[in-house]
Amino acid sequence: MLINAIRWNPSEGLDLGILTIHYYSLMFLIAFGLGWYIMKSIYTREGIEIEKLDSLFIYTVIATLLGARLGHVIFYDWDYFQNHLLEIFLPVRFEPEFEFTGFRGLASHGAAIGIIVAMYLYAKRILKKPVLWILDRIVIPVASGAIFVRIGNFINSEIVGKPTNSDYGVIFEKLGEDFARHPAQLYESGCYLIIFIILWFMYWKTEKRFKLGYIFGLFLVLLWTVRFFIEFIKEPQVEERATWLLNTGQWLSVPFVLAGLYFMYRPTKRRTV
């Protein structure tokens, strides 16, 4: 009997009778709502028109969801989706039978790429500032949002950790298991909280915000380094790649870390924009 293990089998969401609010969707709502509030405080400090927040919110939401979805399809499950193209953008599965699935396949690497592209377009069309200016600031709410996304993964019993081989850990009963695993989602969420605090401090309490690209680079280094090491205690998301030296998430994290180091330490003139 696993005395110290936590048995985890929550409901999928809040049942309101006519509809169910899924906890994972609720975590996304909290992430975007908190992100809007954080950016409002930043825009107020910088003297940016608050009206431009509406466009930023739209760009960010679309980029996050679209990028995360395409990232999952391309990086993790292309073998399936290349023969089911409609299911990429529809919350359903047609085979072996029709099923409403929701958009459960989302990849953070794809979301990161999507947000970077969206911020380039936003900076050029709306903000009229260098793209690194907005990237240095948008990564603060992105880090806070990542905290809640991983909590959502934990609630859904997905992206689980490897077995602890002890009575420590979490038993994900939803998976039909009776042994303890590492709550890797919560480890990752806790690390993202620390990253958020560091970025918040760097922006509000130091002058690093004046060096274009520094806070953005620091975000890339910290977040993707965490992701790289947490992957060692996660179950592989693609079974066929389980024997690789590094898994898919780790290989995808390396370029982000290198890019972050470049933006942190590249020679630049001090900017006051």
Side-chain angles (χ1 to χ4, degrees), residues 75-194:
F75 299 141
Y76 292 100
D77 210 5
W78 179 243
D79 288 343
Y80 174 82
F81 283 104
Q82 65 179 332
N83 299 315
H84 304 84
L85 297 179
L86 282 178
E87 294 180 17
I88 295 176
F89 300 106
L90 296 176
V92 299
R93 181 184 293 271
F94 295 104
E95 296 178 359
E97 60 184 15
F98 183 84
E99 177 187 3
F100 180 82
T101 60
F103 294 111
R104 296 186 177 181
L106 302 173
S108 55
H109 294 89
I113 295 172
I115 290 173
I116 292 172
V117 172
M119 291 307 100
Y120 169 79
L121 297 174
Y122 173 77
K124 185 176 182 179
R125 297 177 180 178
I126 309 295
L127 195 58
K128 308 300 181 183
K129 282 183 175 289
V131 64
L132 285 176
W133 187 95
I134 187 61
L135 286 174
D136 281 334
R137 288 148 180 81
I138 197 67
V139 293
I140 301 174
V142 167
S144 70
I147 299 169
F148 296 97
V149 171
R150 282 296 178 252
I151 292 175
N153 293 139
F154 177 74
I155 294 173
N156 277 359
S157 301
E158 58 192 10
I159 314 182
V160 296
K162 293 180 179 179
T164 62
N165 298 318
S166 70
D167 64 351
Y168 162 80
V170 175
I171 301 172
F172 293 97
E173 294 184 340
K174 185 177 179 180
L175 304 180
E177 300 175 345
D178 196 32
F179 58 88
R181 292 182 178 274
H182 285 284
Q185 314 96 320
L186 298 185
Y187 298 163
E188 200 168 345
S189 180
C191 290
Y192 292 159
L193 173 60
I194 295 172

Side-chain angles (χ1 to χ4, degrees), residues 45-46 137 202-203 206-211 215:
R45 182 191 199 191
E46 303 281 0
R137 288 148 180 81
M202 295 298 291
Y203 174 76
T206 75
E207 294 190 352
K208 289 299 185 182
R209 69 183 185 278
F210 295 122
K211 182 181 179 182
I215 296 178

Side-chain angles (χ1 to χ4, degrees), residues 171-265:
I171 301 172
F172 293 97
E173 294 184 340
K174 185 177 179 180
L175 304 180
E177 300 175 345
D178 196 32
F179 58 88
R181 292 182 178 274
H182 285 284
Q185 314 96 320
L186 298 185
Y187 298 163
E188 200 168 345
S189 180
C191 290
Y192 292 159
L193 173 60
I194 295 172
I195 292 173
F196 166 71
I197 293 172
I198 293 173
L199 297 178
W200 180 267
F201 178 84
M202 295 298 291
Y203 174 76
W204 285 98
K205 301 298 182 180
T206 75
E207 294 190 352
K208 289 299 185 182
R209 69 183 185 278
F210 295 122
K211 182 181 179 182
L212 283 179
Y214 185 89
I215 296 178
F216 172 59
L218 180 61
F219 165 82
L220 293 179
V221 171
L222 292 177
L223 186 135
W224 299 112
T225 297
V226 165
R227 178 66 186 273
F228 182 90
F229 286 105
I230 289 290
E231 289 292 322
F232 283 114
I233 58 172
K234 284 184 184 178
E235 289 288 6
Q237 296 185 56
V238 183
E239 291 295 334
E240 293 77 9
R241 305 171 190 173
T243 57
W244 288 11
L245 176 63
L246 300 175
N247 67 29
T248 305
Q250 291 172 315
W251 283 116
L252 292 173
S253 296
V254 171
F256 283 101
V257 173
L258 295 177
L261 291 172
Y262 167 77
F263 284 114
M264 288 180 68
Y265 297 109

